[in-house]
Amino acid sequence: MVRKTPLLAVEIAGLQMKNPLILASGILDTYAETMLRIAEHAGAVVTKSVGIEERKGYENPVIFEFKHGVLNAMGLPNPGIEKFGEEMKKLRECRAPIIGSIFGKDEREFVLLARKMEMYGAAAVELNLSCPHASGYGMEVGRDPVLVKSIVSAVKEAVKVPVFVKLTPNVTDIVSLGLAAEEGGADAVVAINTVRGLRIDIEFKRSVLSAGIGGYSGPGILPIGLRCVFELKRALKIPIIGCGGISTWENVIEYLMAGASAVEVGTALREDAGLFKKLERGVKKYMERKGYESVEEVVAIAHRNR
Ligand SMILES: Cc1cc2nc3c(=O)[nH]c(=O)nc-3n(C[C@H](O)[C@H](O)[C@H](O)COP(=O)(O)O)c2cc1C
């Protein structure tokens, strides 16, 4: 049989990807070199979230690894949008689409950042409306459906590239945020960012992180991410990109079945930089074994089989 398109190829809002596996924001994506390496096996790459000004982030410790995942409160360290242009220039040779992640405190900042990312050649922008530990940014803006809708529509008016909106799970109703993003004109939503969490150092009798409360990621949040995607799929018409806790190809299939059209992978890469290759191989073998001819056939299948 001659297949017209490769088995794993997907398209989201016009972005052509060789597979549904995307590098999540914040992991190995501040510098072009690592992004180019990951892009060899990933369908697309999201950059570290970039803001208007350079930020050093919080004092150490900013990251705490434990058995069930990772807790981080980095404080959105980034070189600032002007300087980040240098990395984006080096990414021009990249064959996988580059998605520029941005964070701002209001519409004006998001619009400015999105325009710059588009000018730098980003194939799409991802609005970080969900970072749980930076005062005045991220989740603090992204928990209000009214603000989400107005920021998204302002950015949509300002750029031609697709606009993805990364949602926070730290709300009672993620669907209302998803709907607000959709009403604002978002081309896709990404669910989820990290889950607010805390660990205590019992010797020092204080939080293990300098900033106190942080964001929890890795295998422990897999069921939360899957639940969010499942709920969003029931309500939204636009595509959903699943994220949170993926460390095996089986997890990728779970996300597709819950309703994700693609997935982002972050924390698990810290232990295994070759993970994308393994995920790609595992998903492909499963699809061949089950006789699927496209990723689309798997998307949201769990909604039909209840
Ligand atoms: C160290 C670290 C830094 C992160 N930085 C960002 C960021 O800058 N922007 C963003 O949208 N998400 C950021 N995230 C969240 C991830 O992109 C992802 O949403 C989350 O970690 C859940 O996926 P995972 O369990 O595969 O890591 C960061 C996560 C970690 C662990």
Side-chain angles (χ1 to χ4, degrees):
M1 187 186 80
V2 182
R3 218 190 301 277
K4 286 194 288 301
T5 45
L7 182 59
L8 296 189
V10 294
E11 194 218 294
I12 294 189
L15 256 64
Q16 307 285 346
M17 301 190 263
K18 65 172 180 260
N19 65 41
L21 310 167
I22 305 172
L23 174 67
S25 181
I27 295 100
L28 301 173
D29 55 2
T30 305
Y31 299 105
E33 288 76 12
T34 48
M35 285 189 260
L36 285 168
R37 209 173 67 226
I38 302 274
E40 284 168 27
H41 292 282
V45 166
V46 185
T47 69
K48 171 77 190 158
S49 292
V50 179
I52 303 276
E53 304 281 347
E54 179 179 354
R55 273 169 72 104
K56 291 211 174 353
Y58 298 131
E59 296 287 306
N60 279 324
V62 290
I63 197 149
F64 178 76
E65 300 199 22
F66 60 110
K67 193 176 157 196
H68 308 288
V70 167
L71 203 60
N72 95 83
M74 315 277 292
L76 290 171
N78 80 98
I81 193 70
E82 290 304 328
K83 214 160 158 213
F84 195 67
E86 289 162 32
E87 299 306 314
M88 290 297 286
K89 231 185 262 167
K90 293 184 217 159
L91 289 168
R92 289 255 158 103
E93 62 189 86
C94 187
R95 270 191 262 142
I98 303 295
I99 301 166
S101 174
I102 53 177
F103 71 92
K105 62 175 173 352
D106 53 31
E107 270 174 38
R108 195 189 61 84
E109 286 197 4
F110 271 104
V111 163
L112 204 150
L113 292 160
R115 282 198 177 127
K116 282 273 175 184
M117 277 293 189
E118 180 175 54
M119 206 182 80
Y120 292 158
V125 288
E126 185 178 286
L127 314 186
N128 178 354
L129 289 171
S130 42
C131 178
H133 48 68
S135 159
Y137 296 102
M139 188 181 90
E140 286 192 14
V141 203
R143 271 209 288 215
D144 178 351
V146 177
L147 273 180
V148 169
K149 185 177 166 183
S150 68
I151 290 171
V152 175
S153 46
V155 173
K156 274 300 287 180
E157 266 180 44
V159 295
K160 289 194 187 68
V161 291
V163 176
F164 299 167
V165 180
K166 189 163 177 189
L167 304 174
T168 176
N170 301 309
V171 285
T172 42
D173 180 19
I174 194 167
V175 174
S176 63
L177 295 180
L179 287 169
E182 186 171 85
E183 281 166 25
D187 296 279
V189 292
V190 182
I192 54 176
N193 207 313
T194 52
V195 179
R196 265 161 73 81
L198 175 72
R199 291 293 307 271
I200 303 282
D201 183 318
I202 60 169
E203 294 304 324
F204 290 105
K205 302 169 211 156
R206 48 158 295 166
S207 166
V208 294
L209 299 175
S210 72
I213 287 171
Y216 179 28
S217 63
I221 70 164
L222 178 73
I224 303 170
L226 284 167
R227 183 266 299 168
C228 290
V229 167
F230 195 81
E231 285 185 334
L232 287 163
K233 187 64 188 173
R234 281 200 299 231
L236 266 56
K237 292 180 208 75
I238 54 175
I240 299 156
I241 299 172
C243 180
I246 294 173
S247 63
T248 66
W249 66 261
E250 288 95 332
N251 300 158
V252 176
I253 303 286
E254 278 189 85
Y255 263 106
L256 297 176
M257 290 188 169
S261 299
V263 296
E264 293 185 5
V265 184
T267 299
L269 275 167
R270 291 170 59 86
E271 295 204 335
D272 185 359
L275 185 62
F276 273 98
K277 197 173 174 183
K278 289 180 200 159
L279 296 179
E280 187 180 35
R281 198 183 316 134
V283 171
K284 186 160 179 260
K285 274 193 174 164
Y286 173 85
M287 287 187 37
E288 283 167 352
R289 178 157 59 84
K290 295 286 185 188
Y292 290 120
E293 292 189 5
S294 74
V295 171
E296 235 166 80
E297 282 177 47
V298 187
V299 175
I301 229 171
H303 289 260
R304 302 199 282 279
N305 293 340
R306 274 185 301 143

